[in-house]
Amino acid sequence: MKILSIGGGGIRGIIPGQVLVALEEKIQKRDPNKRIADVFDMVAGTSTGGILTCLYLCPDATGKKPRFSAEDAVNLYLQNGDNIFDVSLFRAITTVEGFAGPKYSAEALETILKNYLGDLKLSQFLKPCLITSYDITRREAKFFNQADFAEEGATRDFLARDVARATSAAPTYFAPANIQALDLQVYPLVDGGVFANNPTMCACVEAFGYDPKLEVSDLQILSLGTGDSEHAYHYAEAKKWGKLQWLEPILDILMSGVSETVDYQMKTLFESAKCSKQYLRIQPELAKFPEVDPAMDNASEKNMQALEAVGDAMATKFNAELDAFVDYLLPPKK
C-alpha cells in the first residue's frame, strides 16, 4: 500500500508542495497521464498538508481523474498566500496582534477554498484520505476519511472545503471552524496539528485497519514535512515566562516534538521489519536556509520565493531517493 503523508506548517506548505511538483514530473516521465492521486493508495494531511490533500484528491468533471496538478496545488499558496495571511491595521489593533482574538480573518481562506473545491463532497475524493482535526467541544480527535463517509452514506458526508477549513484552523491564527455534516450535525474544530502535525503514523494505523493481513513490509510511505525551525529557547529567558510568554513557544515545541516523535516511531517500525528503504521522510532543516523566515504566516513574496527554493533544493537533495520511490509507485516494465 502506497501512502503519501504531508505535515502542517502554514505557508511553509509550499515546501512539500514543490517536492511533489518534482515527484509528479518524475512520475509523468514514466506515464504522462498520471498525477499524484493516481499513484498513491492513500493521502494523509494535517493543516496545510490537509489542504494539499484535498487538492490532490479532487476529481475533474468526469469524477475519475485528478482535477489539479501538483503545480496547481502549490499555486494556491504562491498566488493567494498574501491574501490568506493579510491583516488590516484595524484588526491588528483590535486583536492586539493576535493576543485578544484570532490574528487573521478566515474569510479570504474560505473564499479561496470555495473557489478551488466548490461543493465537492468528501466522499467524492478519488482515493481514501486521512485529514486531521480536533473537536474542541467533544474533546476528541476528528479524522476525515473519504472511505469512511462513502460507506456511512451521504448524510454523514462533509463538504471538502469545510474539511480543508477545519484541518487548517490553527489556534491564535484563525478562529475555530464550526462546520456541518450533511446531516446538519455541527462540529467545532481546530487544526489537526495540535495532536498530529505529522500524520504519518495515523495513516499507517488506518492502513492496517483496511486490511488486518497487511504487514509493515507491504507499505511504502513518503512523509513530507514543512521544515524544522529549530528555534532555541534558553533557560535564562524561559524560567521567567508566564502563560502569555509561553503561548507561542509551546505551540512551536508541541508541533515540532510530535513530528519528530512520529518520524522516530516510523523509522523504528520499518527498520524492525527490515524494509527501511520503503519509508522516506523529507524534512528540511530551515536553519540551513537563512533567507527563509520559518514563521507559519510570513507570506511575503520574498519569503514565498525562498520557501519555493527550499522545496526545489529538497527535491534535488533527495533526487535518487525519489527516483527509487517512483519505482514503488510505478514499477518499471520488465
Side-chain angles (χ1 to χ4, degrees):
M1 186 172 192
K2 305 168 186 69
I3 299 173
L4 169 63
S5 174
I6 314 168
I11 196 64
R12 300 202 315 259
I14 290 171
I15 296 172
Q18 279 299 115
V19 173
L20 289 168
V21 168
L23 179 65
E24 192 168 86
E25 289 175 355
K26 292 177 179 294
I27 291 166
Q28 292 183 340
K29 286 180 180 178
R30 194 161 295 181
D31 187 336
N33 298 314
K34 299 290 186 184
R35 288 182 173 175
I36 295 298
D38 295 313
V39 295
F40 285 96
D41 299 307
M42 181 200 302
V43 183
T46 287
S47 193
T48 191
I51 292 176
L52 288 171
T53 297
C54 290
L55 297 181
Y56 297 137
L57 299 181
C58 178
D60 63 8
T62 69
K64 298 179 180 179
K65 298 293 294 180
R67 177 180 176 185
F68 300 112
S69 67
E71 187 172 3
D72 293 332
V74 77
N75 279 343
L76 180 147
Y77 298 103
L78 294 172
Q79 296 174 2
N80 301 286
D82 56 343
N83 290 325
I84 294 171
F85 294 107
D86 179 53
V87 58
S88 67
L89 178 61
F90 176 77
R91 188 173 186 88
I93 293 172
T94 56
T95 67
V96 195
E97 295 188 346
F99 285 102
K103 187 175 181 180
Y104 301 101
S105 166
E107 184 176 349
L109 175 60
E110 289 171 355
T111 298
I112 291 163
L113 293 174
K114 186 173 183 179
N115 288 341
Y116 272 81
L117 299 169
D119 294 325
L120 179 73
K121 298 172 186 175
L122 182 64
S123 61
Q124 294 174 302
F125 279 177
L126 292 166
K127 296 284 181 69
C129 63
L130 188 79
I131 300 174
T132 66
S133 193
Y134 190 84
D135 191 317
I136 58 175
T137 297
R138 298 173 180 84
R139 290 304 302 270
E140 61 185 21
K142 181 68 176 174
F143 297 103
F144 294 98
N145 191 327
Q146 174 268 355
D148 291 344
F149 292 108
E151 291 175 1
E152 293 177 15
T155 59
R156 295 286 297 123
D157 213 342
F158 288 86
L159 291 176
R161 66 173 187 259
D162 288 341
V163 173
R165 170 71 175 91
T167 191
S168 58
T172 75
Y173 291 94
F174 297 106
N178 203 40
I179 70 171
Q180 281 188 341
L182 298 190
D183 64 0
L184 303 184
Q185 189 168 357
V186 177
Y187 296 83
L189 303 169
V190 296
D191 195 312
V194 299
F195 74 96
N197 200 48
N198 178 350
T200 310
M201 181 58 78
C202 295
C204 185
V205 171
E206 188 78 5
F208 289 129
Y210 290 150
D211 183 0
K213 297 180 181 179
L214 207 64
E215 301 286 344
V216 173
S217 58
D218 296 321
L219 302 177
Q220 296 87 34
I221 299 180
L222 174 60
S223 176
L224 302 178
T226 64
D228 188 349
S229 67
E230 296 186 345
H231 180 83
Y233 302 101
H234 301 288
Y235 172 75
E237 298 174 349
K239 70 178 183 178
K240 304 172 186 176
W241 290 349
K243 291 181 179 179
L244 186 62
Q245 293 92 340
W246 265 109
L247 180 60
E248 188 172 333
I250 200 65
L251 284 173
D252 178 35
I253 292 168
L254 283 171
M255 293 173 72
S256 296
V258 166
S259 293
E260 292 163 6
T261 300
V262 169
D263 183 39
Y264 168 77
Q265 292 168 333
M266 295 304 302
K267 285 178 179 176
T268 303
L269 186 66
F270 276 76
E271 286 171 2
S272 67
K274 303 186 185 306
C275 56
S276 57
K277 290 185 178 180
Q278 292 172 215
Y279 169 69
L280 175 59
R281 172 71 172 169
I282 300 180
Q283 169 76 316
E285 297 176 36
L286 295 183
K288 295 182 178 179
F289 299 90
E291 67 278 11
V292 169
D293 179 355
M296 295 195 300
D297 58 343
N298 185 344
S300 67
E301 183 176 354
K302 179 181 178 181
N303 201 50
M304 288 194 291
Q305 289 177 348
L307 292 168
E308 189 177 8
V310 173
D312 292 338
M314 289 298 99
T316 299
K317 179 179 179 180
F318 288 90
N319 182 61
E321 291 87 345
L322 289 171
D323 280 338
F325 206 86
V326 172
D327 288 339
Y328 290 125
L329 300 174
L330 291 171
K333 295 181 179 179
K334 295 182 180 180

